[in-house]
Amino acid sequence: MTAGAPLDAAEVALVLVHGRGATAQSIVQMAHDFHQHDVTYLTPKAARNTWYPNAFTAPVESNEPGRSSGLQAIDDAVIEATDAGIPRERVVILGFSQGACLASEYVARNPRRYGGITVLSGGLIGKSVDSDDYEGDLDGTPVFLGCSDVDPHIPEERVHESATIFEQLNGDVTERLYEGMGHGINQDEIEHGSRMVADLVE
């Protein structure tokens, strides 16, 4: 699904990755809060609205082939943007929940300069996170991780571990934990994501 400015006329591409049980349409509605012109929204959709079957902290193999398929869907969207003439430096990837986990995993495993990444209630995928599994250079890519300190699906420690990996990869990392929020998105996170996109719009 696409929305916003026509791809061939946009200055910035925002890849939006929805969560479990949600739809491409639902996450596009959130992006409309950004109020930015000259931005095209690219929103891959999971089969039956679920990217992978188990918790993101389960062993990786238990979430295949969904995990790999989801990563490929993000890559396809990024390539669609770059093929249209939008450089990766002007591509922002935003995900919520399952989508945030895939977005973080995609960028950490394909490190280079992006316009930014916004990880809302998510983190790197796997039973554990090993810094040796990630190498490369994000070249100062802005990275935002926002999550509740009591999210029932996202352990606080995994958010910290993910932030550490992004710092190791030379990302410009901002991490925010919100007290007692639960599993959702708040206005501060929307405003941070909006600023990340606005900074790229000339």
Side-chain angles (χ1 to χ4, degrees), residues 4-166:
L7 188 58
D8 59 0
E11 294 183 15
V12 175
L14 178 56
V15 178
L16 298 154
V17 194
H18 68 76
R20 186 194 299 267
T23 64
Q25 291 89 341
S26 66
I27 200 162
V28 162
Q29 292 303 313
M30 185 194 74
H32 289 164
D33 293 333
F34 289 6
H35 302 300
Q36 297 296 336
H37 300 292
D38 302 321
V39 178
T40 189
Y41 305 128
L42 303 174
T43 56
K45 181 182 183 300
R48 295 179 295 278
N49 302 327
T50 299
W51 293 107
Y52 47 84
N54 298 308
F56 81 112
T57 51
V60 169
E61 58 271 16
S62 74
N63 278 318
E64 295 293 2
R67 169 188 165 277
S68 293
S69 176
L71 294 174
Q72 185 62 55
I74 296 174
D75 193 51
D76 290 345
V78 172
I79 291 172
E80 185 176 354
T82 57
D83 282 353
I86 301 173
R88 284 181 188 256
E89 295 85 355
R90 303 180 74 80
V91 175
V92 176
I93 302 173
L94 179 151
F96 171 66
S97 192
Q98 268 201 345
C101 298
L102 282 172
S104 59
E105 192 73 17
Y106 175 80
V107 171
R109 293 194 178 276
N110 299 275
R112 60 189 71 189
R113 176 72 191 204
Y114 296 88
I117 174 173
T118 299
V119 180
L120 304 177
S121 302
L124 294 170
I125 296 173
K127 187 175 181 180
S128 61
V129 173
D130 185 346
S131 61
D132 292 339
D133 291 339
Y134 302 92
E135 58 182 23
D137 190 353
L138 286 168
D139 192 23
T141 294
V143 179
F144 176 78
L145 299 100
C147 193
S148 171
D149 63 342
V150 291
D151 192 302
H153 305 291
I154 315 297
E156 180 179 335
E157 183 58 29
R158 182 57 58 91
V159 179
H160 296 319
E161 292 169 341
S162 301
T164 297
I165 295 295
F166 283 121

